[in-house]
């Protein structure tokens, strides 16, 4: 019997893209089970995401314990609620490597909170308290705007939230913005012992460390998670990150293959990093077992792992490119809508 699953999602804009996929299960004759799944994937509006970066940057650096941080938090909560999410503010306190006690807030936006099947999307919403990159000479002791480092991932996910409202699905989606990711200690490469390096790892990602030990719903276990970090710079490249490949290699391969099929192979490069990057996904996977991967810009040129603007005062609107936001956002939307339609 042929089963046709016809468009199941409301078409609300002319930007909706159609992707038809044939899939057949191997355990039955193909002609009996061939299934035409037609999934509507909304178009990701990069202009909208760009404005969401601008808006965050306009608050100033979003460093915990500052007014800008508080104001931006209020705005993010209001945006997520406006897009139809049920929002939880998870307050916590964490001691930074400097000894400062940070008042942090993880922002949890639940779409379809009652749905059993769920996926999770993450970014960090704080920006770094200092500009201590080796490449930086400018205002090294001052906080950074973090247009890319923090702002871009949040902006992409706000636009995803807007699309979820405009093009509803049955599946549950949790957009979680982690706080205090970027208040960590850079290890002094030369002096670092293995032990010092291990200790410094734990100074990063304080919000996700807290959340992963204090889940907003007990036993929370989405099917998978996707973390976005530094997804807005011009000519960004996203190799397959080391921890992601340890945690969920099949998920990484699926997403990168999908991105390539969408024509985004220049961004989602088929290259595997040998090392893992200390980021929120590492702590989430370690503490919860949730399979989560990181889409993160790694330039690996001039001895700099991330872009030249990374942890410098140049991480401002000048380095944000709508094309990069579009590519990442469209891939995330494709994953979400395909998963909801049973064809990812
Ligand atoms: C470190 O290099 C220690 N962490 C990379 C993760 C990060 C920092 N993402 C944004 N800022
Ligand atoms: Zn950073």
């Amino acid at each position: 019997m042929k089963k046709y699953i016809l468009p199941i999602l409301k078409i609300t804009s002319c930007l909706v893209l159609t992707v038809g996929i044939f899939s057949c299960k191997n355990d039955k004759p193909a002609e009996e089970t061939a299934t035409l799944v037609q999934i509507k994937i909304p178009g990701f509006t990069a202009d909208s995401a760009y404005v969401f970066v601008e808006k965050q940057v306009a608050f100033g650096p979003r460093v915990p314990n500052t007014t800008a941080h508080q104001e931006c938090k209020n705005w993010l909560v209001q945006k997520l609620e406006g897009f139809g999410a049920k929002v939880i503010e998870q307050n916590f306190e964490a001691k930074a490597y400097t000894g400062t006690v940070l008042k942090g807030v993880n922002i949890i936006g639940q779409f379809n909170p009652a749905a059993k099947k769920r996926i999770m999307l993450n970014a960090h919403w704080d920006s770094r308290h200092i500009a201590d990159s080796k490449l930086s000479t400018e205002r090294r002791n001052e906080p950074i705007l973090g247009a890319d480092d923090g702002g871009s991932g949040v902006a992409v996910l706000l636009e995803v939230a807007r699309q979820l409202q405009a093009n509803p699905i049955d599946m549950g989606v949790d957009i979680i913005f982690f706080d205090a990711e970027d208040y960590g200690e850079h290890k002094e490469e030369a002096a670092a012992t293995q032990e010092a390096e291990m200790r410094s790892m734990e100074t990063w990602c304080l919000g996700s460390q807290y959340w992963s030990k204090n889940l907003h719903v007990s036993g929370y276990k989405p099917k998978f998670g996707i973390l976005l970090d530094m997804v807005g710079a011009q000519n960004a490249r996203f190799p397959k990150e080391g921890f992601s490949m340890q945690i969920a290699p099949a998920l990484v391969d699926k997403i990168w293959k999908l991105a390539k099929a969408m024509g985004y192979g220049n961004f989602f490069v088929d290259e595997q990093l040998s090392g893992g990057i200390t980021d929120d996904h590492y702590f989430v996977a370690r503490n919860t077992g949730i399979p989560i991967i990181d889409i993160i810009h790694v330039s690996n040129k001039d001895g700099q792992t991330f872009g030249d603007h990374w942890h410098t005062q140049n991480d401002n609107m000048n380095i944000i490119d709508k094309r990069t936001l579009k590519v990442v956002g469209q891939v995330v939307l494709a994953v979400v809508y395909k998963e909801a339609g049973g064809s990812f």
Side-chain angles (χ1 to χ4, degrees):
M1 181 192 68
K2 276 206 177 76
K3 218 170 56 182
Y4 290 97
I5 301 173
L6 284 165
I8 48 168
L9 300 162
K10 222 170 59 184
I11 306 171
T12 53
S13 93
C14 59
L15 288 166
V16 167
L17 314 171
T18 304
V19 179
I21 292 152
F22 280 96
S23 69
C24 22
K25 294 209 177 85
N26 294 331
D27 54 346
K28 287 182 190 154
E31 64 273 19
E32 273 187 47
T33 56
T35 305
L36 175 63
V37 184
Q38 209 171 31
I39 303 293
K40 300 280 176 255
I41 301 166
F44 183 90
T45 306
D47 288 338
S48 170
Y50 187 87
V51 171
F52 294 147
V53 184
E54 277 185 326
K55 181 71 191 181
Q56 290 172 80
V57 166
F59 286 108
R62 283 84 62 215
V63 177
N65 302 354
T66 66
T67 308
H69 181 263
Q70 170 93 31
E71 286 172 352
C72 184
K73 186 266 292 174
N74 292 340
W75 179 75
L76 290 170
V77 169
Q78 177 216 310
K79 288 311 282 182
L80 285 171
E81 282 177 347
F83 294 143
K86 186 173 168 228
V87 178
I88 297 170
E89 294 179 41
Q90 183 184 57
N91 294 286
F92 66 93
E93 287 192 350
K95 199 171 194 163
Y97 72 97
T98 53
T100 306
V101 176
L102 305 177
K103 285 182 189 297
V105 189
N106 294 321
I107 303 165
I108 302 157
Q110 303 166 289
F111 289 83
N112 300 330
K116 245 187 109 125
K117 181 181 172 184
R118 317 194 65 75
I119 65 164
M120 175 173 74
L121 305 172
N122 306 94
H124 74 90
W125 75 272
D126 62 306
S127 63
R128 186 156 179 78
H129 59 303
I130 47 176
D132 58 342
S133 158
K134 278 181 286 185
L135 304 183
S136 154
T137 53
E138 189 192 351
R139 292 186 286 125
R140 290 179 57 94
N141 297 324
E142 291 178 34
I144 63 172
L145 287 172
D148 192 25
D149 193 356
S152 63
V154 168
V156 166
L157 294 183
L158 284 177
E159 175 58 11
V160 168
R162 198 175 74 86
Q163 294 297 337
L164 284 170
Q165 180 175 51
N167 308 276
I169 50 178
D170 290 334
M171 186 176 72
V173 177
D174 301 295
I175 294 179
I176 305 184
F177 297 141
F178 294 125
D179 200 357
E181 186 274 346
D182 226 348
Y183 213 109
E185 179 182 39
H186 276 302
K187 49 185 185 283
E188 264 327 312
E189 239 77 68
T193 61
Q194 184 99 326
E195 245 178 286
E197 195 172 317
M198 295 291 276
R199 262 202 314 279
S200 84
M201 266 181 90
E202 309 293 317
T203 66
W204 299 83
C205 306
L206 301 178
S208 57
Q209 291 201 50
Y210 181 87
W211 174 83
S212 58
K213 290 173 180 163
N214 301 273
L215 298 173
H216 63 285
V217 172
S218 77
Y220 177 69
K221 192 86 195 265
K223 192 168 170 193
F224 60 82
I226 299 175
L227 172 65
L228 306 183
D229 195 3
M230 301 186 276
V231 292
Q234 192 175 20
N235 299 322
R237 53 197 297 285
F238 310 113
K240 298 174 176 178
E241 182 274 332
F243 288 134
S244 304
M245 288 302 282
Q246 285 175 26
I247 297 162
L251 178 62
V252 173
D253 287 338
K254 233 158 107 177
I255 294 172
W256 263 248
K257 208 172 142 192
L258 173 62
K260 189 178 179 190
M262 293 167 74
Y264 302 148
N266 296 344
F267 288 83
F268 286 76
V269 293
D270 192 7
E271 176 188 318
Q272 194 177 325
L273 298 181
S274 51
I277 295 170
T278 307
D279 209 345
D280 293 315
H281 68 315
Y282 168 77
F283 294 99
V284 168
R286 189 175 83 179
N287 295 332
T288 71
I290 294 168
I292 174 170
I293 65 112
D294 195 7
I295 299 175
I296 182 166
H297 169 51
V298 178
S299 58
N300 264 344
K301 68 170 171 43
D302 308 328
Q304 171 69 310
T305 310
F306 307 107
D308 286 355
H309 59 284
W310 186 64
H311 292 182
T312 77
Q313 298 298 344
N314 294 328
D315 187 355
N316 56 37
M317 285 313 289
N318 296 336
I319 53 95
I320 298 296
D321 187 345
K322 285 179 192 174
R323 172 76 184 154
T324 308
L325 298 171
K326 166 75 181 176
V327 164
V328 174
Q330 196 62 66
V331 169
V332 172
L333 281 179
V335 171
V336 170
Y337 282 78
K338 280 166 170 284
E339 182 61 44
S343 76
F344 178 61

